[in-house]
Amino acid sequence: MTENPSLGRPDRNIALELVRTTEAAALAAARLIGMGDKIAADQAAVDAMRIVLDTVAMDGVVVIGEGEKDEAPMLYNGEQIGDGTGLAVDIAVDPLEGTTLTAKGMPSALSVIALAPRGAMFDPGPCVYMTKLAGAGDIADLLDLDRPIGETLGLVADRRDVDIRDLTVVVLDRPRHDEGIAAIREAGARIRLIADGDVSAALLAASPRSPVDLLWGVGGTPEGVISAAALKSMGGAIVTRLYPRDEAERQAAVEYGRTHADYDLDRQMTQDDLVAGDDCFFSATGVTDGDVLQGVRYQGRRSATTESLVMRSRSGTTRRIVATHNREKLREYNGERYG
């Protein structure tokens, strides 16, 4: 058969390499599930992810690292990642999304990472929180932070031809959300409160046949950018707005905006503003069991299984990968990290 030269060949899908990094972080953090030490669990995930990331053929820079807002262990902003060859990329990373969930043995802790070509990821500057509203692609045009949430729920119910009482909104359980929670309930919709983990919640809100229709509320900017990469890949949508925690942070953001043209506290940003272009990558591996992914499972002393989601926006491909790991072989070059 003669090859048609007009047909493009599949190029490198680096997400299939990134999954090794989230698997490593999940396996390391899982040894500390329920042990009550969120800092140790986070550190284990960071150390394991960093070791594997440095073997990936890429010239990566951490644009958004987790940790600044609470002085936790982290892959820090500006850190060089990869072996220095190949693709020049931006990286947004949260080696352990749900440190408290892991420490308490609660559901939906993940290890997550997103990657895009250099310069594609939005830099949140001094703001470590943003307001978010996310859902599936069929309601993307209805997502608007300037509209009262109750009105948006009515529009979503009409679009999907359901009773508003059948809609469920996932919200982080925080005092700052009390007014919004009251408005959602007054509109007639149901609420699923979560302790942590709004990347997992964004995936749930955008997934078909999910029990959740929307994610709403204020959460971390790293999680917002990582969620944007995932939602671009799976056809979901998110709108966000930067959320300064206090007047000092607001003033710092205003100063930052003087030298960054796309930085505006009043601006609503979509997934395409947070991660520009059409070729981003996303990987998540479950640490504890949740609605989106199964957590790490141990089969005796010799093996463990992980479940991961791996996505690429350019192809629109989503892979669910269940892997079996030989713990003895992992210990040969990682010590007791995967013990």
Side-chain angles (χ1 to χ4, degrees):
M1 179 177 178
T2 303
E3 182 177 338
N4 185 344
S6 67
L7 297 177
R9 298 188 181 205
D11 58 359
R12 179 183 174 205
N13 187 347
I14 199 170
L16 296 178
E17 299 170 62
L18 293 180
V19 71
R20 294 172 48 237
T21 73
T22 56
E23 286 174 346
L27 285 163
R31 300 306 296 149
L32 292 157
I33 291 172
M35 299 300 291
D37 190 341
K38 69 176 186 177
I39 300 300
D42 203 9
Q43 187 70 68
V46 168
D47 291 345
M49 181 174 278
R50 181 179 278 118
I51 287 172
V52 180
L53 275 172
D54 284 341
T55 71
V56 179
M58 64 180 178
D59 176 14
V61 175
V62 176
V63 174
I64 299 175
E66 182 60 68
E68 286 87 346
K69 67 176 179 284
D70 56 8
E71 298 182 355
M74 60 180 169
L75 284 150
Y76 59 85
N77 290 359
E79 183 172 352
Q80 300 292 315
I81 292 294
D83 68 0
T85 67
L87 302 171
V89 295
D90 289 343
I91 297 170
V93 61
D94 193 347
L96 183 57
E97 196 220 11
T99 56
T100 299
L101 299 178
T102 302
K104 293 183 176 181
M106 298 171 66
S108 299
L110 302 175
S111 173
V112 293
I113 190 169
L115 183 149
R118 182 69 50 80
M121 285 186 175
F122 174 73
D123 181 356
C127 287
V128 298
Y129 287 99
M130 54 174 48
T131 306
K132 308 169 190 178
L133 182 60
D138 66 314
I139 58 170
D141 61 312
L142 304 180
L143 304 182
D144 186 347
L145 294 172
D146 290 329
R147 183 192 304 118
I149 185 63
E151 292 183 21
T152 295
L153 286 165
L155 293 173
V156 171
D158 289 342
R159 172 72 56 83
R160 292 183 170 169
D161 193 24
V162 299
D163 192 298
I164 197 169
R165 293 173 297 177
D166 296 327
L167 298 180
T168 300
V169 185
V170 62
V171 183
L172 283 168
D173 190 5
R174 301 289 189 272
R176 62 178 177 262
H177 294 148
D178 287 350
E179 185 176 336
I181 288 170
I184 292 168
R185 288 174 172 158
E186 183 177 352
R190 296 174 293 176
I191 288 178
R192 178 185 290 195
L193 291 174
I194 57 172
D196 290 290
D198 63 355
V199 173
S200 176
L203 292 171
L204 195 62
S207 298
R209 300 178 299 279
S210 165
V212 168
D213 299 279
L214 289 171
L215 161 71
W216 174 86
V218 176
T221 50
E223 292 86 350
V225 176
I226 292 169
S227 295
L231 295 174
K232 281 174 72 81
S233 301
M234 64 192 298
I238 188 170
V239 291
T240 68
R241 179 180 284 136
L242 294 169
Y243 180 90
R245 292 173 293 177
D246 52 36
E247 187 58 31
E249 190 167 287
R250 175 175 290 277
Q251 289 304 313
V254 169
E255 288 301 315
Y256 192 80
R258 299 186 196 282
T259 55
H260 295 77
D262 62 345
Y263 197 86
D264 184 348
L265 290 178
D266 296 323
R267 177 188 178 200
Q268 284 198 65
M269 295 175 286
T270 70
Q271 64 276 2
D272 295 320
D273 298 308
L274 297 177
V275 183
D278 65 352
D279 200 17
C280 63
F281 305 85
F282 171 87
S283 176
T285 301
V287 178
T288 60
D289 286 351
D291 291 306
V292 176
L293 288 167
Q294 179 178 288
V296 175
R297 300 282 181 88
Y298 298 102
Q299 286 82 41
R301 289 187 52 80
R302 294 191 175 183
S303 68
T305 61
T306 55
E307 185 180 30
S308 304
L309 278 177
V310 183
M311 297 187 257
R312 184 183 188 182
S313 64
R314 181 175 176 182
S315 63
T317 302
T318 297
R319 291 178 170 89
R320 189 174 291 268
I321 298 175
V322 176
T324 301
H325 307 269
N326 185 312
R327 295 167 69 190
E328 291 182 335
K329 290 186 176 181
L330 288 173
R331 283 193 291 266
E332 288 178 5
Y333 64 91
N334 282 302
E336 291 300 312
R337 181 173 285 108
Y338 302 105

